[in-house]
Amino acid sequence: MAKLTIEELNELGLRAEAMPRHVAMIMDGNGRWAKKNGFLRAMGHRAGVTRLRELVRFSSDSGIKALTLYAFSTENWKRPDDELGVLFSLLIEFFNKEIDELHRNNVCIRSIGELDAFPLKVREAVKNAEQRTKNNGGLMLNIALNYGSQAEILRAAGALCKRAIETGELPTKDDFEQELYTCGLPELDLLIRTSGELRLSNYLLYQAAYAELYFTDVFWPDFTKEEYIKAIKEYQRRSRRYGGLE
Ligand code: FPP
């Protein structure tokens, strides 16, 4: 991976100083992509992982600080066992196969969510990737695994209640944010969802308070680097006022 210069970003139609710091992605439409192309759903998920590589690389090269991917939600357990098996295998493969290159490129991998529910091999692959890359100062690559915003918020509220009982003091906004999985990450700037669905599906509900939302009809396996650039261009055109005036 080579960092893109200001001129190279300009040639792509992007302004270096206005790149989002933190991008989140809901990688939706693998199943429909597979159906459209006459493949099994498993092939859709595999194509989805393949797509990921160039997007992680572009995020790192273009100066984005954090990328947070919704790989498995607290609701995904409802899927049939064979599909869960496919997703687990792909996760293990991703963490084991990609780790060397990601590590070489200074990417810091972190999972967000309740990892304990996964089979041992998934947990081991994730923990190993986290451990190996924990001191890297490049792109912060967060993989949401058994993640749900409502569970995250409840967990934080529980921790804060306990502390409030002990100290007798009410928590601040900072205290609350410290208890979220995203603690230490830059504020979420851009949230992308593929496949034409117009909802957040229990993803980063607190963090998305002032994020720019980008929805596209493109299925996840077709969400190329060019599509990503299109989303960032649209982000750079938006006027972010945070409730204030221009
Ligand atoms: C949504 O497509 C996608 C998922 C539930 C899983 C996303 C997972 C991956 C891309 C692979 C694993 C991730 C990593 C980080 C290695 P869908 O199955 O809901 O598609 P559909 O709505 O068209 O059926």
Side-chain angles (χ1 to χ4, degrees):
M1 295 187 206
K3 298 284 173 221
L4 295 166
T5 62
I6 294 177
E7 290 75 26
E8 284 168 333
L9 284 169
N10 281 344
E11 275 164 31
L12 295 170
L14 297 171
R15 284 180 288 128
E17 77 287 358
M19 289 301 285
R21 284 157 307 159
H22 184 176
V23 178
M25 293 183 178
I26 304 181
M27 310 180 285
D28 199 6
N30 293 345
R32 277 163 287 162
W33 178 89
K35 194 170 177 197
K36 185 183 90 180
N37 290 290
F39 300 135
L40 295 172
R41 287 181 63 81
M43 289 305 293
H45 291 311
R46 181 164 286 282
V49 179
T50 304
R51 180 55 65 210
L52 214 47
R53 288 191 194 106
E54 66 174 321
L55 302 178
V56 171
R57 191 169 312 138
F58 183 76
S59 302
S60 174
D61 291 351
S62 62
I64 288 166
K65 304 276 178 262
L67 177 65
T68 303
L69 304 168
Y70 208 4
F72 194 95
S73 75
T74 44
E75 286 71 37
N76 284 149
W77 296 104
K78 293 176 197 155
R79 297 196 174 204
D81 284 349
D82 58 340
E83 179 150 341
L84 293 180
V86 166
L87 289 171
F88 297 160
S89 303
L90 284 171
L91 283 169
I92 295 167
E93 198 180 310
F94 174 80
F95 283 108
N96 291 339
K97 268 198 181 164
E98 302 298 321
I99 180 75
D100 287 339
E101 195 192 329
L102 291 169
H103 187 39
R104 255 199 315 278
N105 289 300
N106 209 18
V107 173
C108 174
I109 300 173
R110 217 170 81 175
S111 66
I112 63 170
E114 285 303 318
L115 214 52
D116 288 351
F118 287 102
L120 182 64
K121 282 203 163 162
V122 177
R123 280 181 279 144
E124 278 175 353
V126 176
K127 288 283 166 209
N128 174 49
E130 288 181 331
Q131 187 59 28
R132 265 189 76 189
T133 64
K134 69 176 182 203
N135 295 322
N136 290 347
L139 177 73
M140 296 181 255
L141 177 60
N142 312 292
I143 317 281
L145 291 166
N146 193 21
Y147 172 88
S149 251
Q150 292 175 340
E152 177 188 38
I153 290 168
L154 273 170
R155 180 175 169 271
L160 293 176
C161 279
K162 262 195 200 159
R163 205 170 316 146
I165 291 166
E166 283 159 20
T167 64
E169 283 182 34
L170 283 176
T172 62
K173 180 171 179 270
D174 270 357
D175 294 332
F176 183 75
E177 290 174 356
Q178 290 279 323
E179 295 297 335
L180 298 176
Y181 290 121
T182 47
C183 153
L185 296 176
E187 189 183 312
L188 184 62
D189 289 319
L190 171 62
L191 191 152
I192 297 172
R193 181 173 193 152
T194 57
S195 93
E197 307 293 353
L198 304 179
R199 55 179 171 268
L200 296 183
S201 296
N202 205 11
Y203 193 44
L204 302 174
L205 300 182
Y206 178 89
Q207 295 84 345
Y210 278 101
E212 293 300 322
L213 308 181
Y214 180 86
F215 297 102
T216 169
D217 287 340
V218 169
F219 293 141
W220 174 255
D222 288 332
F223 191 74
T224 55
K225 185 176 96 177
E226 288 66 36
E227 290 292 337
Y228 190 15
I229 291 170
K230 217 157 96 183
I232 300 171
K233 276 188 195 162
E234 163 73 26
Y235 165 82
Q236 294 193 334
R237 276 195 294 271
R238 305 248 180 113
S239 150
R240 302 186 78 193
R241 295 185 297 280
Y242 297 90
L245 299 178
E246 195 94 44

